[in-house]
Amino acid sequence: MGKPNDPEFQNKVIRAAFDLFEAPNGPVLENFSEVIPVRDGRMGYALPPELVLSTSDIGDMDGLLSEVAAEMEALRPDYEAAILSRGRTTVGASELSIKDFAPFVAEFVKGNIPNSPRKGLPAIPLLKLVVEDLEAYYTETRTHRDRIDDLELMGRWFWEETKAGRLLLLLEAVSVASDNKVMLQIVEMSLMAPRFWSEGPLPGTSAAGW
């Protein structure tokens, strides 16, 4: 809510929201008085439309998984430091162990729908939570380690430079080509990759999220 790594600004937003309860009549819809700058007119976390992979880009999945595992292990000390500093983490919605995030995603990239390890939660809804956990692991680590509050920089780093970002882009490609309507819907709602604010719909989708 507001600027990353800026508790003072975030508290201002929260206080302004609570102040709306003092309005004599409601419901009340009011813009916050300050605007977070958006460079080039686009939200920082929006993927550029040209950054699209296809199923032909999949290649050696075992090799990619090894690279993601090494990448995550290298980030682990800083992730743990981030938790100690903040006293909390948003990682954990899936209830999978961190080391299982990438292998679970990879099964879908390979064309499989694995059994869900969580009772009462099917594999595809769980996949959405795993994707969120994987992104949060990277984001929380980097924002703490390097004190980054530039969402565009964070998005460019994760989606264009990390192996985990590539894994999720491959997942998106498989989902677009899939006959599974739920997986395609997840893509169209920009719940798999942040395309909602990009300049155009992802090829192969109905553009329902635009």
Side-chain angles (χ1 to χ4, degrees):
M1 183 177 290
K3 301 175 184 177
N5 291 324
D6 191 339
E8 183 178 352
F9 186 90
Q10 293 166 355
N11 284 331
K12 286 174 63 177
V13 175
I14 294 171
R15 284 194 293 269
F18 278 113
D19 286 345
L20 297 178
F21 287 112
E22 304 300 323
N25 299 300
V28 178
L29 182 62
E30 185 176 301
N31 290 327
F32 187 64
S33 58
E34 298 180 48
V35 177
I36 300 175
V38 178
R39 191 162 63 191
D40 298 328
R42 198 178 74 193
M43 295 295 288
Y45 56 79
L47 278 166
E50 66 272 13
L51 186 56
V52 177
L53 299 184
S54 68
T55 54
S56 63
D57 294 311
I58 291 176
D60 179 10
M61 277 304 302
D62 291 336
L64 179 58
L65 266 179
S66 295
E67 291 176 322
V68 174
E71 192 174 67
M72 294 181 71
E73 179 60 23
L75 292 173
R76 185 172 59 83
D78 291 310
Y79 171 70
E80 293 173 350
I83 295 176
L84 287 175
S85 174
R86 293 168 174 152
R88 58 180 172 79
T89 179
T90 61
V91 176
S94 67
E95 298 183 8
L96 268 63
S97 65
I98 289 174
K99 66 180 178 61
D100 290 333
F101 293 166
F104 187 77
V105 172
E107 283 301 308
F108 288 88
V109 178
K110 293 176 181 178
N112 305 320
I113 297 183
N115 293 327
S116 173
R118 283 185 56 179
K119 185 177 180 180
L121 185 64
I124 294 178
L126 177 60
L127 174 64
K128 174 183 173 294
L129 298 180
V130 173
V131 168
E132 292 174 356
D133 277 347
L134 183 61
E135 289 186 59
Y137 178 84
Y138 278 72
T139 301
E140 290 184 16
T141 301
R142 185 80 193 276
T143 53
H144 170 76
R145 185 188 70 190
D146 300 327
R147 307 303 298 171
I148 293 175
D149 61 3
D150 184 330
L151 295 180
E152 186 171 11
L153 175 62
M154 281 298 304
R156 187 166 60 248
W157 169 70
F158 180 78
W159 292 103
E160 299 184 29
E161 299 178 21
T162 72
K163 299 301 181 181
R166 180 173 179 81
L167 177 65
L168 295 188
L169 288 174
L170 290 173
L171 173 65
E172 180 186 62
V174 169
S175 301
V176 170
S178 172
D179 293 329
N180 189 294
K181 294 181 179 179
V182 177
M183 290 187 68
L184 184 57
Q185 185 179 37
I186 290 175
V187 172
E188 291 177 341
M189 295 176 68
S190 297
L191 300 177
M192 195 169 288
R195 295 197 182 274
F196 190 83
W197 294 106
S198 296
E199 289 90 339
L202 183 67
T205 70
S206 68
W210 302 85

